[in-house]
Structures are given as C-alpha cells and as structure tokens.
Amino acid sequence: MGRVIIGMDPHKRSATIEVIDDGENVLAQGRFGTDSAGYQAMLKAGRKYRHRTWAVEGCNGIGHHIAQRLVADGETVLDVPAKLSARARVFATGQGRKTDPVDAHSVAVAALRSKGLRQVAVDDATVALRLLADRRDELGRARTDTVNRLHLLLLELVAGGAKKDLSALQARALLNTVRPRGIVGRTRRQLASELITELAVIDKKIKTADAQLTELVAATGSRLQELKGIGPSGAARLIGDVGDIARFASRGHFASWNGTAPLDASSGEQERHRLSRAGNRRINRALHIMAVVQLRHDTEGRAYYRRRVAAGKTPMEAMRALKRRLSDVVYRQMVADAKAARTGPGGQSGATVQSSAAGPIPMASSSDQSLPGPADTHPKTLLLAGA
C-alpha cells in the first residue's frame, strides 16, 4: 500500500481520525479518547499503515498535546492550520457542515493537497520562550489593571490624584499622607493599600520574568536586543513565535505574516494600499513597541518617520511605514542570527534553532512588497545599541 494520510480533529478528551490514500479514498475512521488507553488504541490503528503521515489540526493550540505525544513516539506529524481545513470542508460539502468526522476528513484532504506544511518537532527552548513571553504579557496586563484601579481610589483620597507612571513605593508614600476619618474614606484607603501590596508583588514577578527571559534569549545566541526598542520580552516573543526564520523566503513574506505589509487595494487606474489587520498580532505589537521606542529617541527610525511626514504622509501612515521598515530590520537580524547558529564557533556547522511554535509556511501575495520604497540594506541602519 502506498502513502496514507491520517487526518485528526483533536479535542481535549477525544480525537477523531480518518485515514485516506493518495486518491482521497477513505480507508478507516475512528474516535478515540486521549487518555493512555485511548491514545494507545489510536496509535495501534494508525500503525497498521506502513507509509503513514499524521495530519493534526491546530498543533499550536488544542492539537498540541496529542501532536507532541505522537512525535515523541516517532511518528511523522504535519500541522494543518484551521483555516486550511475549513476551506477543504466547505469545498467538500458545499455547505460547510461541521462535525468531528467531517473535520477529520477535511484535515486529511488539506494535508494531502497542500505543500509546505510544517512538520511538528519536539518542543524545544523556543517553546519555553513563547510560554514565558505569554506569562510576561499576562503580568503586564495585570499590572495595568491594578494601577488603573489604584488610580481610581487615589483620586478620591488625594486632591488631583496620583501621577500617571506610578510605582508601588510612590503610591505607598502618597497613601501614608492620607488619614481619612469617615468609614468610606477608611475603606478606600484599605483597598488602596491592598492594591499597592498586589502591585509590589506583580512588579517583583515582572522583574523575575525579565531576568529569566534575558537569560534564555542570551542562551540562543540572538542579538535581537541590540536593536533599539527590543527588550527581553520582545526578543522572546520574536524567537518563540517565529521559530525558524528560514521558513520565510524573503523579508516580504515575513512582513506579510506579521501584518506590517500593506494590502493592495488598487482599483482601475487608482493605485493604493491599505492597512493589513491580518497576520500575527503579537509580533505586530512587538514591532509597534519597537517603533514607539525609536520615535522617543534620536534614531534612524525617527529620522525615517520624519522624512515620511515631510513627504506628505499622515503621522499614522508614517508610523505604518516605519513598522514595515523595522520588520525588515528584524528579519535581517534573525537571518544573521540563524546563520551564526548554523556555522557555530570557528566556522564549524552547528545546531540550528528549530521550533514547533512556528506556523505554516507563509504564502506570497501582493502585500509582500516593501512599502514605501525598498528597505535600506546597510547593516547598521536602525541597528542601535540598547533596548
């Protein structure tokens, strides 16, 4: 028997599979639990076919746990994006009916017809970076929420409230000047004191997380933090979400994937481009933070932004153009880091950074062009020390 594809629609406690051959003929179907007994039964059913490839939907999401178990058992697993299997489902049924068996069939068909799907690898250090970057983002959101609630209370306790950038130490000193007499005032002071304690705990966790991220990023050999505007959290996010930069054929592919490349919206003789709201929004946010930091300092990024504004661009359009340029800079640095990792010390071949966190190979489109104008290829452009 020739090659077979085992499509899987994974869930937390169950997985539905369908086996098809090269002609899309259904050879077998089944639903299995994801506990030890169910998984072993599914693995046994799949191993009846010698030349098999497992295709799992959403290996970075709900399918991650089962895909990693399969890889650990020596199986070949392809990651099928949910959007790709959804298209196959619509074309197969004509009505987009969605059941577990239909989903498993759509995943198998999508894997059979598509080229360049990512082969899942065992989780490595880049996955740890992604997890820690997620945790750092959660801590940042928790701090913002805590400070906002604290400001609301301090506004009622102190005339004019507190300054915008407030640390736990500053808030405690300000609160110590307040001695309300009424029960409402005392209650507000009590709640504010509790929030300050929470803020101090969060700040300590953020400091620990940043130190851990800095250490892990340094261990990868990445020089991303040498780019102005990228700190340990941003570098970890880029390494964790991007994974192997070699999966992007060009800087344009990378910009299309992260949403900084404008979309072609031309019509007739009118040529124009509009903002892309697609792409990896976490990477887009990291590039936005990088752009904001560049604008706050005397950098090549700020000079480029001012040239765009002087050329007639609105501030928002100039910011988008700057983010597009910074995407090129990050891409160039990650390519250089990957090349250095491959050659290793003394020019010897070393290990490359691979990641199971990497998404499918991006497809080229009209939004891949470097707008506005070609990116500067000078190695020092926007490469400034400090984060």
Side-chain angles (χ1 to χ4, degrees), residues 126-317:
T126 58
V127 179
L129 282 170
R130 181 161 55 90
L131 292 172
L132 288 173
D134 289 342
R135 174 58 175 161
R136 178 61 178 82
D137 288 346
E138 291 172 2
L139 289 171
R141 290 191 293 269
R143 189 186 194 284
T144 299
D145 179 65
T146 302
V147 170
N148 287 342
R149 288 186 289 150
L150 181 58
H151 271 295
L152 187 62
L153 291 171
L154 291 176
L155 183 61
E156 300 291 342
L157 292 170
V158 181
K163 66 175 186 177
K164 182 178 179 181
D165 299 324
L166 191 65
S167 68
L169 187 62
Q170 292 168 338
R172 181 68 69 186
L174 186 61
L175 191 64
N176 288 337
T177 64
V178 179
R179 290 291 185 270
R181 296 182 179 181
I183 186 172
V184 175
R186 290 197 301 271
T187 301
R188 284 196 179 104
R189 190 182 188 283
Q190 173 196 335
L191 295 177
S193 180
E194 293 176 358
L195 287 175
I196 292 172
T197 301
E198 292 177 16
L199 181 60
V201 172
I202 293 173
D203 284 342
K204 184 177 180 180
K205 290 181 178 180
I206 288 176
K207 185 177 180 180
T208 301
D210 285 344
Q212 190 174 9
L213 285 171
T214 300
E215 182 180 352
L216 286 177
V217 169
T220 67
S222 171
R223 297 177 59 196
L224 281 172
Q225 290 190 76
E226 294 182 14
L227 300 178
K228 190 72 173 181
I230 297 184
S233 180
R237 173 62 66 200
L238 285 162
I239 297 171
D241 279 27
V242 172
D244 185 8
I245 192 65
R247 66 193 179 97
F248 299 101
S250 68
R251 64 188 183 186
H253 286 77
F254 180 64
S256 180
W257 175 77
N258 63 43
T260 58
L263 298 178
D264 193 346
S266 302
S267 178
E269 296 181 356
Q270 182 183 21
E271 295 185 5
R272 68 184 184 89
H273 297 82
R274 63 177 177 83
L275 171 68
S276 171
R277 299 188 183 279
N280 187 310
R281 305 316 296 173
R282 295 177 299 190
I283 298 298
N284 193 284
R285 178 175 178 270
L287 293 172
H288 182 81
I289 293 173
M290 184 182 181
V292 170
V293 174
Q294 292 261 335
L295 292 180
R296 289 176 178 173
H297 299 83
D298 185 15
T299 63
E300 289 289 339
R302 185 164 73 177
Y304 174 80
Y305 172 87
R306 288 175 174 174
R307 289 198 300 271
R308 293 294 91 199
V309 172
K313 298 290 185 181
T314 66
M316 187 65 70
E317 289 172 337

Side-chain angles (χ1 to χ4, degrees), residues 355-373:
S355 171
S356 63
I361 295 177
M363 303 305 293
S365 69
S366 59
S367 64
D368 288 343
Q369 54 189 308
S370 299
L371 296 173

Side-chain angles (χ1 to χ4, degrees), residues 22 53 93 107 189 204 236 358 371:
D22 286 338
T53 299
T93 66
V107 171
R189 190 182 188 283
K204 184 177 180 180
L371 296 173

